[in-house]
């Protein structure tokens, strides 16, 4: 009997050990501006059982890897370089990294490619893993690159230079590309230009990556709104634009056949009694699409909305302080349990618990210091 118990105990211990060894690791990749001693990209291990965040690696292949994007196959990460605070307009580059499946560490792949414009501020990846899209804020241009078989960045496939200006003399005296979001099927890209007050819509050639204007080539924002980042609802029927200068979310109905956007409504990102300066930054959905979150720099908060999946309209739930200044970028946990926020001015990455039923956020007390943190990407390793 004792032998049977002992064997059973050993089998149980072995199962527990195997489960622990095969359990997923959670990695956070932090992009930074080139100031206050930043070392580049910070690769962090996150333990959600106790909130411990530990540094695994820093990668510095240039100045200011300010935005990061992960390939759909989770094997590669792409970074745009060339951004700081108060720096003069400068050209940049895009670099590919291989992600170690064992620990999430990064190894540079191939040669870096020029961003084909000044002040690159955003990078995104085609949902089918074919192309990389780079937004150049300074020159108001966008660039397309093929992804090679080994994950590296190929030579530029297309460059489009926007022209014109909008009504704000301080911020809109020329084009300022701020982000590119592909449609879920990869047929279209939505290129948000703050300087033009337009979301430009392009059809993507699936073989070459070259772009052509859609039949409805743009959606015009309210003059002076300054569209910045865009999020597409998981059902694919609606798009939501965080407008930097108006601090509003603009809601659009998506025509999947043409890629066109039709305005639905605009909703404020700020409380009624807030009268100081604030600028919208980032915008993301919960995984189930029931809630939308958008960050305010100035009010230093995340605005929380409930989404009507039939009409696309928003109901304001409230605001959660980000425990730091200038929340430039944030990430809603793939499991829907947490939200990670990068606060540039306080050099920190802060973790919030998310209520899946109400959408509300609660500060966990978990955070870590990262100089000039401006972007966060999450990855689970098995």
């Amino acid at each position: 009997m004792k032998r049977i118990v002992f064997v059973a105990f050993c089998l149980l211990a072995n199962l527990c050990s195997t489960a622990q060894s095969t359990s997923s690791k959670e990695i956070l990749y932090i992009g930074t501006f080139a100031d206050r001693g930043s070392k580049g990209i910070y690769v962090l291990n996150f333990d959600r059982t106790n909130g411990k965040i530990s540094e695994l690696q820093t990668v510095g292949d240039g100045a200011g890897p300010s935005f990061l994007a992960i390939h759909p196959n989770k094997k590669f990460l792409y970074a745009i370089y060339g951004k700081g605070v108060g720096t003069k307009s400068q050209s940049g580059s895009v670099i590919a990294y291989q992600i170690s499946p064992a620990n999430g560490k990064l190894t540079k792949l191939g040669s870096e490619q020029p961003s084909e414009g000044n002040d690159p501020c955003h990078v995104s990846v085609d949902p089918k893993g074919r192309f990389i899209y780079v937004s150049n804020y300074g020159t108001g241009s966008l660039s397309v690159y093929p992804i090679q078989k080994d994950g590296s960045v190929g030579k530029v496939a297309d460059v489009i230079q926007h022209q014109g200006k909008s009504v704000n003399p301080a911020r809109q005296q020329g084009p300022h590309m701020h982000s590119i979001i592909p449609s879920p099927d990869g047929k279209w890209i939505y290129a948000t230009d703050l300087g033009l007050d337009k979301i430009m819509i392009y059809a993507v050639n699936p073989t070459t990556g070259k772009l052509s204007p859609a039949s409805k080539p743009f959606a015009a924002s309210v003059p002076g709104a300054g569209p910045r980042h865009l999020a597409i609802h998981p059902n694919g029927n609606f798009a939501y634009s965080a407008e930097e200068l108006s601090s509003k979310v603009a809601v659009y109905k998506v025509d999947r056949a043409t890629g066109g956007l039709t305005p639905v409504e605009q909703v404020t990102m700020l409380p009624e009694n807030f009268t100081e300066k604030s600028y919208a930054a980032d915008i993301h959905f919960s995984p189930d699409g029931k809630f939308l979150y958008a960050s305010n720099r100035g009010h230093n908060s995340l605005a929380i909305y409930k989404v009507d999946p039939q009409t696309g309209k928003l109901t304001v739930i409230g605001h959660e302080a980000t425990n730091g200044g200038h929340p430039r970028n944030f990430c809603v946990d793939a499991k829907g349990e947490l939200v990670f926020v990068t606060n540039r001015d306080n050099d920190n990455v802060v973790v919030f618990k998310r209520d899946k039923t109400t959408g509300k956020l609660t500060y966990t007390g978990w955070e870590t210091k990262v100089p000039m943190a401006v972007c966060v990407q999450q990855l689970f390793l098995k």
Side-chain angles (χ1 to χ4, degrees):
M1 181 66 179
K2 290 182 178 179
R3 178 176 175 78
I4 293 174
V5 172
F6 176 76
V7 171
F9 175 81
C10 289
L11 288 172
L12 179 62
N14 184 61
L15 287 171
C16 291
S17 175
T18 302
Q20 289 177 355
S21 64
T22 58
S23 62
S24 63
K25 296 180 180 179
E26 190 168 348
I27 307 298
L28 301 177
Y29 297 97
I30 311 300
T32 64
F33 278 171
D35 296 274
R36 294 205 288 268
S38 169
K39 298 178 181 179
I41 302 171
Y42 286 71
V43 183
L44 309 176
N45 183 78
F46 175 65
D47 186 340
R48 69 175 54 216
T49 61
N50 57 23
K52 184 179 179 181
I53 304 173
S54 54
E55 183 180 305
L56 297 175
Q57 181 191 26
T58 57
V59 178
D61 288 309
S66 62
F67 212 90
L68 315 172
I70 296 174
H71 193 285
N73 67 15
K74 313 301 183 186
K75 295 180 180 179
F76 311 109
L77 179 141
Y78 302 93
I80 50 106
Y81 281 83
K83 191 70 177 175
V85 174
T87 56
K88 292 183 178 180
S89 183
Q90 58 183 341
S91 60
S93 61
V94 55
I95 298 178
Y97 297 93
Q98 185 165 15
I99 299 173
S100 168
N103 54 30
K105 290 185 178 180
L106 303 176
T107 302
K108 186 178 177 181
L109 275 176
S111 301
E112 65 183 73
Q113 296 293 337
S115 64
E116 305 293 340
N118 290 351
D119 299 333
C121 62
H122 188 273
V123 60
S124 56
V125 182
D126 166 62
K128 295 186 178 181
R130 301 167 298 183
F131 311 112
I132 298 163
Y133 304 111
V134 172
S135 300
N136 295 300
Y137 181 87
T139 44
S141 62
L142 59 103
S143 308
V144 185
Y145 304 82
I147 296 176
Q148 305 300 300
K149 289 183 178 180
D150 65 353
S152 61
V153 185
K155 292 186 178 180
V156 67
D158 203 2
V159 178
I160 292 180
Q161 176 64 59
H162 289 168
Q163 302 292 337
K165 62 181 181 179
S166 192
V167 300
N168 188 314
R171 300 290 302 278
Q172 297 178 300
Q173 286 302 292
H176 289 306
M177 266 299 305
H178 227 309
S179 67
I180 297 173
I181 301 299
S183 62
D185 59 11
K187 292 181 178 180
W188 317 95
I189 63 167
Y190 297 95
T192 301
D193 196 309
L194 179 146
L196 303 184
D197 276 327
K198 292 178 179 178
I199 301 170
M200 311 299 289
I201 307 167
Y202 297 100
V204 181
N205 183 302
T207 303
T208 66
K210 285 189 173 295
L211 306 177
S212 56
S215 57
K216 294 183 177 179
F218 64 87
S221 302
V222 172
R228 178 185 171 95
H229 280 198
L230 188 81
I232 299 175
H233 193 278
N235 67 19
N237 294 328
F238 301 97
Y240 299 77
S241 173
E243 299 179 331
E244 179 171 334
L245 304 182
S246 69
S247 292
K248 292 182 179 180
V249 175
V251 184
Y252 296 90
K253 180 76 172 67
V254 177
D255 185 329
R256 296 194 192 187
T258 66
L261 301 177
T262 302
V264 175
E265 67 172 350
Q266 278 186 306
V267 183
T268 183
M269 290 175 55
L270 298 169
E272 291 183 3
N273 59 353
F274 184 81
T275 58
E276 299 175 33
K277 287 185 178 181
S278 190
Y279 302 95
D282 203 12
I283 187 165
H284 296 287
F285 280 98
S286 60
D288 59 11
K290 293 181 179 179
F291 298 95
L292 180 70
Y293 301 86
S295 59
N296 292 302
R297 297 166 298 166
H299 188 248
N300 295 329
S301 66
L302 293 186
I304 307 169
Y305 306 93
K306 186 176 181 179
V307 184
D308 185 323
Q310 302 303 317
T311 66
K313 291 187 175 183
L314 302 176
T315 300
V316 178
I317 300 299
H319 300 80
E320 181 66 30
T322 56
N323 284 70
H326 201 101
R328 187 178 178 88
N329 176 250
F330 67 96
C331 169
V332 180
D333 173 34
K335 294 183 177 181
E337 299 171 351
L338 303 171
V339 173
F340 304 92
V341 181
T342 57
N343 292 303
R344 186 197 71 184
D345 290 354
N346 286 76
D347 301 325
N348 63 2
V349 181
V350 182
V351 186
F352 294 85
K353 184 177 180 180
R354 197 181 79 86
D355 188 309
K356 294 182 181 181
T357 302
T358 65
K360 293 183 178 181
L361 306 177
T362 304
Y363 174 56
T364 61
W366 302 342
E367 58 180 88
T368 191
K369 287 289 183 181
V370 176
M372 299 296 284
V374 293
C375 180
V376 54
Q377 295 288 332
Q378 177 194 44
L379 180 65
F380 289 95
L381 299 175
K382 293 183 178 180

